[in-house]
Amino acid sequence: MLKRALLQRALAITALMLGGCCGIGMSASAASAACRGDNGGLRLSPGWCATIFADKLGHARHMVVAPNGVLYVNTWSGVYYDNDRPPPGGFLIALKDSKGTGHADIIKRFGDDVAHGSAGGTGIGYYNGAIYAEENDKIVRFALPKTALVPESPYQVVLSGMPITGDHPMHPFIIDAQGNIFIDSGSPTNSCQAQNRMLESPGLTPCKELETRAGVWRYGADKLGQTFSPAGRYATGIRNGEGFGFDATGRLFVTQHGRDQLWQNWPKLYTPKASSELPAEALLELTKGADFGWPECYFDGYQKKLVLAPEYGGDGGRTRGVCAGKRVPVAVFPAHWAPNDLLIDNFPRLPAAYRGGAFLAFHGSWNRAPLPQGGYNVVFQPLKDGKAAGNFIVFANGFAGRYLEPGRAAYRPTGLAGAPDGAIFVSDDVHGRIWRLTYHGARSAPVAPTPGTPSSISAADNPPPPEGIHPDAGRSDAIDLPLAPGVTRDQLALGDRIFHGAAENGTCGGCHGSDAKGTPEGPNLTGTKIWSDGSLAGLEKTITEGVPKPRNYPGAMPAKGGASLTDADVTAVAAYVWALGHHTK
């Protein structure tokens, strides 16, 4: 009996030693039982566990793991976050788990802070003993001491003069083994219109944005004092490429945020539903000189091809025109989910089924109204030989909590980073949380979705829930809101329904949030006077004319929000917004 007990103990110890920190070798069911706690509130693919590695770091964006296992994070500030106050200290953070608990017990900030003119940034990378980071309009380099977590000397400027105006001012990047930095420079507009996001405004020809925006630029990591210019362009026609990744053969991939507001800007050509589901988000393979088609083209997930944009003579998806000669995506995903980062599995510690595939962090949509918002998750896309090898699955979910919308989501996936031990880090830019995900299942296990999601999903699959879509369900009605002079309770109720997309294909809640307290795209409407004097007539004027050039927000508002509203509808919406601003409860 004693011998059997000793043998069982020895076998258990051996299994732990072989499994290491990732617990590889356990069955998926055993792994689920082995996860301690609640996985940081997440729902994960079978065999995976999560811990909260760090929290309340500020608006955490992209991350990189140095060879010594230290995680480095860039954080951001500014209008995307309602100009709130960042945590004290530099915008860059070093995090280390020195005790092997799955939580960072050493957290140190470095780099410039607000007092020194920094607003932080998104991009971050590691190369040749140094941390590279986006700060304002620059890429800077910090030499890392061999025995310290944070730099001891000032940064050096590698690149300056990056454009930071318009809709997409961030500059994610990646560095290859040869020291080439590939940098995203997103478009300042939605579709290069003469008037950004305005009704039937034509596209500009030529689109001069393409000289310095909507593409990927290449510079040298070893060279100081470079200046951003059109000459550095590597690939073009990429509206907003946020996540980069290399596969094991050296292929370079980037994600793309597709365009917005097909119906709102072109109601004669598109239905609200089509606008909610087009165009597809994309994963692109980058090569020098490639042209992916923006602004003239977008990818139609229904037809699975590039089609001509309405600003450039498109007819709602029937005509391809110049798009027939543009580069098509490797894989596509549901519209407006916003792929903010990319991690390609080159880690031998994970099961073979993941090998070479792509993890994508979807920040979550704001403009799928009148359909429910989507994304707010991490998905896994199988790849083989640089091509999609099947449909994607939802790998991690539950970040947003109860509200899948930008102004109310609890957390929003923003960055991904892989560690040598096979751990995957996921960052959030709402509250600055970072999760550490580890695999504890069998090496032979197949890829499987999180519980409660379909076994696989394609970009054309946007199935409604079985109970149907009811935008008003669970929301308090407007019965307790005050009435503007001369407004009836029925008008107020109509304004409520339009605001939330339950009538007349209203789009207000997409930008301002279902609670009207604002999102990164549009301001808080409760208790404030935005773009008018606060009177009912002033609000009607603003809604009717739109806001083509917002002062403090990236989302331009087309006339009537892009919806086909009658004068009575406009009055109803104005009455509802007026009531929100005068509600004292």
Side-chain angles (χ1 to χ4, degrees):
M1 202 65 158
L2 179 60
K3 288 183 178 180
R4 179 178 295 179
L6 290 172
L7 178 60
Q8 288 175 337
R9 183 181 180 191
L11 289 172
I13 292 173
T14 302
L16 285 172
M17 291 175 65
L18 291 173
C21 66
C22 292
I24 293 175
M26 301 170 63
S27 69
S29 59
S32 298
C35 294
R36 290 179 292 182
D38 65 349
N39 286 326
L42 303 182
R43 299 188 301 276
L44 304 170
S45 290
W48 288 84
C49 298
T51 58
I52 297 174
F53 190 70
D55 210 352
K56 300 180 181 178
L57 299 174
H59 303 296
R61 297 288 286 180
H62 284 185
M63 307 172 286
V64 67
V65 180
N68 62 1
V70 176
L71 180 70
Y72 291 91
V73 184
N74 202 351
T75 65
W76 202 20
S77 66
V79 297
Y80 269 73
Y81 308 104
D82 205 22
N83 292 306
D84 61 0
R85 183 185 296 276
F91 281 94
L92 295 163
I93 310 173
L95 305 101
K96 183 177 182 179
D97 174 11
S98 67
K99 300 177 181 178
T101 63
H103 309 279
D105 56 302
I106 302 175
I107 301 176
K108 295 187 176 182
R109 291 181 175 268
F110 64 98
D112 285 348
D113 58 11
V114 174
H116 290 86
S118 179
T122 294
I124 191 167
Y126 175 90
Y127 174 72
N128 198 21
I131 290 294
Y132 291 70
E134 172 196 5
E135 181 190 283
N136 300 350
D137 69 338
K138 304 184 295 292
I139 302 293
V140 299
R141 182 175 75 188
F142 294 89
L144 287 177
K146 292 183 178 180
T147 58
L149 267 67
V150 299
E152 297 173 348
S153 57
Y155 65 69
Q156 298 171 301
V157 177
V158 175
L159 177 69
S160 61
M162 297 188 301
I164 54 174
T165 58
D167 292 357
H168 308 116
M170 63 289 288
H171 295 281
F173 63 86
I174 196 170
I175 308 174
D176 68 12
Q178 291 72 45
N180 294 298
I181 309 178
F182 297 90
I183 305 168
D184 166 57
S185 182
S187 67
T189 67
N190 178 38
S191 52
C192 203
Q193 292 172 284
Q195 288 187 292
N196 187 33
R197 301 179 185 268
M198 292 293 107
L199 180 67
E200 297 181 350
S201 179
L204 296 174
T205 304
C207 179
K208 290 189 174 294
E209 292 179 32
L210 293 170
E211 295 176 3
T212 57
R213 309 294 290 268
V216 171
W217 269 249
R218 183 176 64 180
Y219 293 92
D222 293 315
K223 185 178 179 181
L224 300 179
Q226 299 168 93
T227 302
F228 188 92
S229 76
R233 190 172 66 187
Y234 183 79
T236 192
I238 305 168
R239 179 176 175 271
N240 184 29
E242 294 243 358
F244 290 93
F246 289 102
D247 71 6
T249 69
R251 295 186 187 94
L252 176 57
F253 298 87
V254 67
T255 62
Q256 177 178 233
H257 288 221
R259 60 161 297 155
D260 307 320
Q261 297 173 305
L262 285 170
W263 170 71
Q264 290 88 344
N265 290 169
W266 302 93
K268 297 176 183 177
L269 298 176
Y270 300 90
T271 66
K273 184 176 185 293
S275 186
S276 299
E277 297 179 337
L278 295 174
E281 308 288 47
L283 177 65
L284 314 172
E285 182 185 352
L286 282 174
T287 56
K288 184 173 175 56
D291 184 348
F292 295 92
W294 184 94
E296 295 170 301
C297 312
Y298 67 86
F299 194 87
D300 186 315
Y302 296 131
Q303 303 181 74
K304 301 190 185 308
K305 63 183 181 182
L306 287 167
V307 297
L308 197 62
E311 291 82 1
Y312 291 88
D315 52 8
R318 293 183 296 275
T319 299
R320 298 194 70 191
V322 297
C323 306
K326 305 296 184 181
R327 184 76 66 86
V328 298
V330 167
V332 294
F333 307 90
H336 313 304
W337 277 22
N340 265 29
D341 207 0
L342 171 68
L343 176 66
I344 295 180
D345 170 38
N346 296 314
F347 307 106
R349 296 295 300 269
L350 297 185
Y354 288 95
R355 198 63 35 78
F359 297 89
L360 293 90
F362 283 99
H363 202 221
S365 69
W366 62 270
N367 57 336
R368 285 178 64 87
L371 299 184
Q373 302 301 334
Y376 303 90
N377 55 24
V378 178
V379 310
F380 177 77
Q381 171 65 59
L383 297 175
K384 184 177 181 180
D385 299 327
K387 305 295 181 185
N391 293 331
F392 72 87
I393 59 109
V394 176
F395 168 75
N397 213 344
F399 296 93
R402 293 178 59 193
Y403 301 104
L404 264 70
E405 56 181 89
R408 304 180 75 184
Y411 304 97
R412 302 182 72 184
T414 303
L416 298 168
D421 64 1
I424 295 175
F425 294 95
V426 183
S427 65
D428 146 70
D429 69 346
V430 178
H431 298 293
R433 176 172 287 188
I434 295 175
W435 292 263
R436 181 176 182 266
L437 280 55
T438 52
Y439 186 73
H440 296 256
R443 293 185 66 88
S444 59
V447 172
T450 60
T453 60
S455 58
S456 66
I457 304 173
S458 67
D461 295 333
N462 285 294
E467 63 272 22
I469 297 171
H470 306 286
D472 286 318
R475 192 182 76 247
S476 299
D477 60 27
I479 195 167
D480 60 343
L481 292 176
L483 291 174
V487 170
T488 68
R489 188 63 59 184
D490 285 344
Q491 285 177 301
L492 184 62
L494 174 61
D496 180 7
R497 294 197 302 276
I498 295 172
F499 187 96
H500 291 98
E504 307 305 329
N505 298 308
T507 61
C508 314
C511 281
H512 298 287
S514 65
D515 59 356
K517 292 184 178 179
T519 75
E521 300 295 330
N524 184 344
L525 300 179
T526 62
T528 57
K529 297 179 181 179
I530 301 296
W531 296 103
S532 81
D533 58 7
S535 69
L536 189 64
L539 290 168
E540 289 176 339
K541 183 175 186 293
T542 298
I543 295 167
T544 300
E545 297 178 353
V547 185
K549 295 181 179 180
R551 288 191 292 262
N552 297 314
Y553 288 83
M557 174 182 146
K560 299 181 180 179
S564 301
L565 303 181
T566 66
D567 291 345
D569 294 335
V570 169
T571 297
V573 175
Y576 181 70
V577 174
W578 183 96
L580 292 172
H582 290 79
H583 188 38
T584 57
K585 183 177 178 179

Coordinates of all heavy atoms in Angstrom, one line a residue, residues 271-306:
T271 N -29.1 49.2 -47.4 CA -30.1 49.1 -46.3 C -29.3 49.2 -45.0 O -28.1 49.0 -44.9 CB -30.8 47.8 -46.4 OG1 -29.9 46.7 -46.1 CG2 -31.5 47.6 -47.7
P272 N -30.0 49.6 -43.9 CA -29.4 49.6 -42.6 C -28.7 48.3 -42.2 O -27.6 48.3 -41.7 CB -30.5 50.0 -41.7 CG -31.5 50.7 -42.5 CD -31.4 50.1 -43.9
K273 N -29.4 47.2 -42.6 CA -28.8 45.9 -42.2 C -27.6 45.6 -43.0 O -26.5 45.1 -42.4 CB -29.8 44.8 -42.5 CG -29.4 43.4 -42.1 CD -30.5 42.4 -42.3 CE -30.1 41.0 -41.8 NZ -29.0 40.4 -42.6
A274 N -27.5 45.9 -44.3 CA -26.3 45.7 -45.1 C -25.2 46.6 -44.5 O -24.0 46.1 -44.5 CB -26.6 46.1 -46.5
S275 N -25.5 47.8 -44.1 CA -24.4 48.7 -43.6 C -23.9 48.1 -42.3 O -22.7 48.3 -42.0 CB -25.0 50.1 -43.4 OG -24.0 51.0 -43.0
S276 N -24.7 47.4 -41.5 CA -24.3 46.8 -40.2 C -23.4 45.6 -40.5 O -22.6 45.3 -39.6 CB -25.5 46.4 -39.4 OG -26.4 47.5 -39.1
E277 N -23.5 45.0 -41.6 CA -22.8 43.8 -41.9 C -21.7 43.9 -42.9 O -21.1 42.9 -43.3 CB -23.8 42.7 -42.2 CG -24.8 42.4 -41.1 CD -25.8 41.3 -41.4 OE1 -26.0 41.0 -42.6 OE2 -26.3 40.6 -40.5
L278 N -21.5 45.1 -43.5 CA -20.5 45.3 -44.5 C -19.7 46.6 -44.1 O -20.3 47.5 -43.5 CB -21.1 45.6 -45.8 CG -21.9 44.4 -46.5 CD1 -22.6 44.8 -47.8 CD2 -20.9 43.2 -46.8
P279 N -18.4 46.6 -44.5 CA -17.7 45.6 -45.1 C -17.0 44.6 -44.1 O -17.1 44.9 -42.9 CB -16.6 46.3 -45.9 CG -16.3 47.5 -45.0 CD -17.7 47.9 -44.4
A280 N -16.4 43.6 -44.5 CA -15.8 42.6 -43.6 C -14.5 43.3 -43.0 O -13.8 44.0 -43.7 CB -15.4 41.3 -44.3
E281 N -14.2 42.9 -41.8 CA -12.8 43.2 -41.3 C -11.9 42.2 -41.9 O -12.3 41.2 -42.4 CB -12.8 43.1 -39.7 CG -13.9 43.9 -39.0 CD -13.6 45.4 -39.0 OE1 -13.3 45.9 -40.1 OE2 -13.8 46.0 -38.0
A282 N -10.6 42.5 -41.9 CA -9.7 41.7 -42.7 C -8.3 41.4 -42.1 O -7.8 42.2 -41.2 CB -9.5 42.4 -44.1
L283 N -7.8 40.3 -42.5 CA -6.4 39.9 -42.2 C -5.6 39.9 -43.5 O -6.1 39.2 -44.4 CB -6.3 38.6 -41.5 CG -4.9 38.1 -41.2 CD1 -4.2 39.0 -40.2 CD2 -4.9 36.6 -40.7
L284 N -4.6 40.7 -43.6 CA -3.9 40.9 -44.9 C -2.4 40.4 -44.8 O -1.8 40.5 -43.7 CB -3.8 42.4 -45.3 CG -5.1 43.2 -45.1 CD1 -4.9 44.7 -45.3 CD2 -6.2 42.7 -46.1
E285 N -1.9 39.8 -45.9 CA -0.5 39.5 -46.0 C 0.2 40.7 -46.7 O -0.1 41.0 -47.8 CB -0.3 38.2 -46.7 CG 1.2 37.9 -46.7 CD 1.6 36.7 -47.6 OE1 0.6 36.0 -48.0 OE2 2.8 36.4 -47.8
L286 N 1.2 41.2 -46.0 CA 1.9 42.4 -46.5 C 3.1 42.0 -47.3 O 3.9 41.1 -46.9 CB 2.4 43.3 -45.3 CG 1.4 44.1 -44.6 CD1 2.1 44.8 -43.4 CD2 0.9 45.2 -45.6
T287 N 3.2 42.6 -48.5 CA 4.4 42.5 -49.3 C 4.7 43.9 -49.9 O 3.8 44.7 -50.0 CB 4.3 41.5 -50.5 OG1 3.1 41.9 -51.3 CG2 4.1 40.1 -50.0
K288 N 5.9 44.1 -50.2 CA 6.3 45.5 -50.7 C 5.6 45.8 -51.9 O 5.5 45.1 -52.9 CB 7.8 45.5 -50.9 CG 8.3 46.9 -51.4 CD 9.8 47.0 -51.5 CE 10.3 48.3 -52.0 NZ 9.8 49.5 -51.2
G289 N 4.9 47.0 -51.9 CA 4.2 47.6 -53.1 C 2.8 47.1 -53.2 O 2.1 47.5 -54.2
A290 N 2.3 46.3 -52.3 CA 0.9 45.8 -52.4 C -0.1 46.9 -52.2 O 0.2 47.8 -51.4 CB 0.7 44.7 -51.3
D291 N -1.2 46.8 -52.9 CA -2.3 47.8 -52.8 C -3.6 47.0 -52.4 O -4.0 46.2 -53.2 CB -2.4 48.6 -54.1 CG -3.5 49.7 -54.0 OD1 -4.3 49.7 -53.1 OD2 -3.5 50.5 -55.0
F292 N -4.1 47.3 -51.3 CA -5.3 46.6 -50.8 C -6.6 47.3 -51.1 O -7.7 46.9 -50.6 CB -5.1 46.3 -49.3 CG -4.0 45.4 -49.0 CD1 -2.7 45.8 -48.8 CD2 -4.2 44.0 -49.1 CE1 -1.7 45.0 -48.5 CE2 -3.1 43.1 -48.9 CZ -1.9 43.6 -48.6
G293 N -6.6 48.5 -51.8 CA -7.8 49.0 -52.4 C -8.4 50.2 -51.7 O -9.2 50.9 -52.4
W294 N -8.2 50.5 -50.4 CA -8.9 51.7 -49.8 C -8.3 52.9 -50.5 O -7.1 53.0 -50.7 CB -8.6 51.7 -48.3 CG -9.3 52.8 -47.6 CD1 -10.5 52.7 -47.0 CD2 -8.9 54.2 -47.5 NE1 -10.9 53.9 -46.5 CE2 -9.9 54.9 -46.8 CE3 -7.8 54.9 -47.9 CZ2 -9.8 56.2 -46.5 CZ3 -7.7 56.2 -47.5 CH2 -8.7 56.9 -46.8
P295 N -9.1 53.9 -50.7 CA -10.5 54.1 -50.4 C -11.5 53.7 -51.5 O -12.7 53.7 -51.3 CB -10.7 55.6 -50.2 CG -9.7 56.2 -51.2 CD -8.5 55.2 -51.2
E296 N -11.0 53.3 -52.6 CA -11.8 52.9 -53.8 C -12.6 51.6 -53.6 O -13.7 51.5 -54.2 CB -11.0 52.9 -55.0 CG -10.3 54.2 -55.4 CD -9.3 54.0 -56.6 OE1 -8.4 53.2 -56.4 OE2 -9.5 54.6 -57.6
C297 N -12.1 50.8 -52.7 CA -12.7 49.4 -52.6 C -13.0 49.0 -51.2 O -12.3 49.5 -50.2 CB -11.7 48.4 -53.2 SG -11.1 48.8 -54.8
Y298 N -13.9 48.1 -51.0 CA -14.1 47.5 -49.7 C -14.4 46.0 -49.9 O -14.9 45.6 -51.0 CB -15.2 48.2 -48.9 CG -16.6 48.0 -49.5 CD1 -17.4 46.9 -49.2 CD2 -17.1 49.0 -50.3 CE1 -18.7 46.8 -49.7 CE2 -18.4 48.9 -50.8 CZ -19.2 47.8 -50.5 OH -20.4 47.7 -51.0
F299 N -14.2 45.2 -48.9 CA -14.4 43.7 -49.1 C -15.9 43.4 -48.7 O -16.3 43.6 -47.5 CB -13.4 42.9 -48.3 CG -13.4 41.5 -48.7 CD1 -12.6 41.0 -49.8 CD2 -14.2 40.5 -48.1 CE1 -12.6 39.7 -50.2 CE2 -14.2 39.2 -48.5 CZ -13.4 38.8 -49.5
D300 N -16.6 42.8 -49.6 CA -18.0 42.4 -49.4 C -18.0 41.0 -48.8 O -17.6 40.0 -49.6 CB -18.8 42.5 -50.7 CG -20.3 42.2 -50.5 OD1 -20.6 41.2 -49.8 OD2 -21.1 43.0 -51.1
G301 N -18.3 40.8 -47.6 CA -18.3 39.5 -46.9 C -19.4 38.5 -47.5 O -19.2 37.3 -47.4
Y302 N -20.4 39.1 -48.0 CA -21.5 38.2 -48.6 C -20.9 37.6 -49.9 O -21.1 36.4 -50.2 CB -22.7 39.0 -49.0 CG -23.5 39.6 -47.8 CD1 -23.8 40.9 -47.8 CD2 -23.8 38.8 -46.7 CE1 -24.5 41.4 -46.7 CE2 -24.4 39.3 -45.6 CZ -24.8 40.6 -45.6 OH -25.5 41.2 -44.5
Q303 N -20.4 38.5 -50.8 CA -19.9 38.0 -52.1 C -18.5 37.5 -52.1 O -18.0 36.9 -53.1 CB -20.0 39.2 -53.1 CG -21.4 39.8 -53.3 CD -21.4 40.9 -54.3 OE1 -21.4 40.6 -55.5 NE2 -21.5 42.1 -53.8
K304 N -17.8 37.8 -51.0 CA -16.4 37.3 -50.8 C -15.5 37.9 -51.9 O -14.7 37.2 -52.5 CB -16.3 35.8 -50.7 CG -17.1 35.2 -49.5 CD -16.8 33.8 -49.3 CE -17.7 33.2 -48.2 NZ -17.7 34.0 -47.0
K305 N -15.6 39.2 -52.1 CA -14.8 39.8 -53.1 C -14.7 41.3 -52.8 O -15.6 41.9 -52.1 CB -15.3 39.6 -54.5 CG -16.6 40.2 -54.8 CD -17.1 39.8 -56.2 CE -18.5 40.4 -56.6 NZ -18.9 40.0 -57.9
L306 N -13.7 42.0 -53.4 CA -13.6 43.4 -53.3 C -14.5 44.1 -54.3 O -14.6 43.6 -55.4 CB -12.2 43.9 -53.6 CG -11.1 43.6 -52.5 CD1 -9.7 43.8 -53.1 CD2 -11.3 44.5 -51.3

